Amino acid sequence: MQKILLILLFIVCCFPDIWAKNGEKYTRHEVYGGIGFGPLKGAIPENAPYFDALSASYLFKNKDYSETLMAGYMISLSRNMAIGLSYSTFKMESELWINAAKYRTAVVSAKYNIWMLNARYKWLQRGSLSLYSRAGVGVINMKVDEPEYDDMGAFGSITGWENQNGFAWQVVPVGVQYTFFKHIGLFAEGGIGIESCFSAGLKLLF
């Protein structure tokens, strides 16, 4: 994973200079933070816990995801195009039920850390208001916590509930940004992927 992160950092640091040599030179930096809701569950890596003593798999029930906290940096390649890096994180908690027996055995939780390379294209500008689209790819790390057993003596330990890495992606067809005082911006995005279906936050531009 460290190699992948170094490659993403290299792209963000070097690509703007290559772009500037072959086109319009326009540089603007921004840092942002925000909160997101509703990550696409099908995009989230997930282990399949197994209970060896009964040769039975587990079912997840009453799964709950926290809000996604996100932060990032973008650098403009032109007045309409920008690239950057982002980090986001959220937590998951779920009841674990043995498939063969219809009762709960444990509660499990995990923390997800996501690093992505993002590209953004601004396709409409009206004064301080702009509309844009964004897409990102990267890696996600799932870090599991120890299960909280309902009855440790009866069920023993769970196997297969382990840390895991996976591919991360996010697509934002429409994002809106409003800038005031030239250096502060508010944004809201609607999209699909590992981060969220809806997010909003604050940007600092310089």
Side-chain angles (χ1 to χ4, degrees):
M1 177 177 288
Q2 292 179 344
K3 292 182 179 179
I4 296 176
L5 295 178
L6 289 174
I7 291 172
L8 296 179
L9 183 61
F10 175 80
I11 293 173
V12 172
C13 292
C14 297
F15 193 69
D17 290 335
I18 298 173
W19 182 285
K21 291 177 181 179
N22 296 280
E24 176 190 10
K25 186 166 184 178
Y26 176 84
T27 302
R28 191 167 195 185
H29 307 270
E30 62 182 66
V31 292
Y32 65 88
I35 186 169
F37 306 89
L40 181 65
K41 296 178 181 179
I44 300 172
E46 188 176 273
N47 290 317
Y50 198 79
F51 185 49
D52 292 329
L54 293 180
S55 297
S57 60
Y58 283 92
L59 294 176
F60 290 103
K61 289 190 177 182
N62 301 320
K63 190 179 296 183
D64 181 56
Y65 293 94
S66 71
E67 298 82 6
T68 301
L69 300 178
M70 56 186 67
Y73 164 79
M74 300 289 285
I75 180 171
S76 299
L77 304 178
S78 68
R79 295 187 181 277
N80 294 325
M81 189 72 183
I83 63 170
L85 291 174
S86 66
Y87 167 76
S88 54
T89 182
F90 63 87
K91 294 183 178 181
M92 182 276 288
E93 184 174 289
S94 176
E95 296 178 353
L96 209 57
W97 292 55
I98 289 183
N99 197 4
K102 306 301 182 182
Y103 47 81
R104 193 179 82 169
T105 63
V107 175
V108 294
S109 59
K111 181 180 180 180
Y112 293 88
N113 298 295
I114 307 154
W115 296 267
M116 288 199 299
L117 173 66
N118 296 280
R120 185 187 67 206
Y121 182 76
K122 180 172 62 178
W123 41 271
L124 181 65
Q125 179 79 51
R126 292 291 184 271
S128 298
L129 184 69
S130 60
L131 299 178
Y132 61 88
S133 299
R134 176 175 69 86
V137 294
V139 293
I140 180 171
N141 169 254
M142 172 187 176
K143 186 175 182 179
V144 303
D145 296 326
E146 285 294 322
E148 298 178 7
Y149 295 95
D150 287 355
D151 188 341
M152 179 64 112
F155 301 109
S157 62
I158 295 171
T159 60
W161 184 244
E162 302 168 347
N163 296 342
Q164 184 177 342
N165 296 322
F167 175 71
W169 61 274
Q170 179 75 23
V171 176
V172 177
V174 179
V176 58
Q177 176 177 313
Y178 184 81
T179 305
F180 50 98
F181 304 124
K182 295 184 178 181
H183 298 290
I184 301 175
L186 297 175
F187 72 91
E189 297 180 343
I192 186 172
I194 197 72
E195 286 182 332
S196 65
C197 291
F198 173 79
S199 62
L202 178 71
K203 293 183 179 183
L204 298 178
L205 304 98
F206 52 95

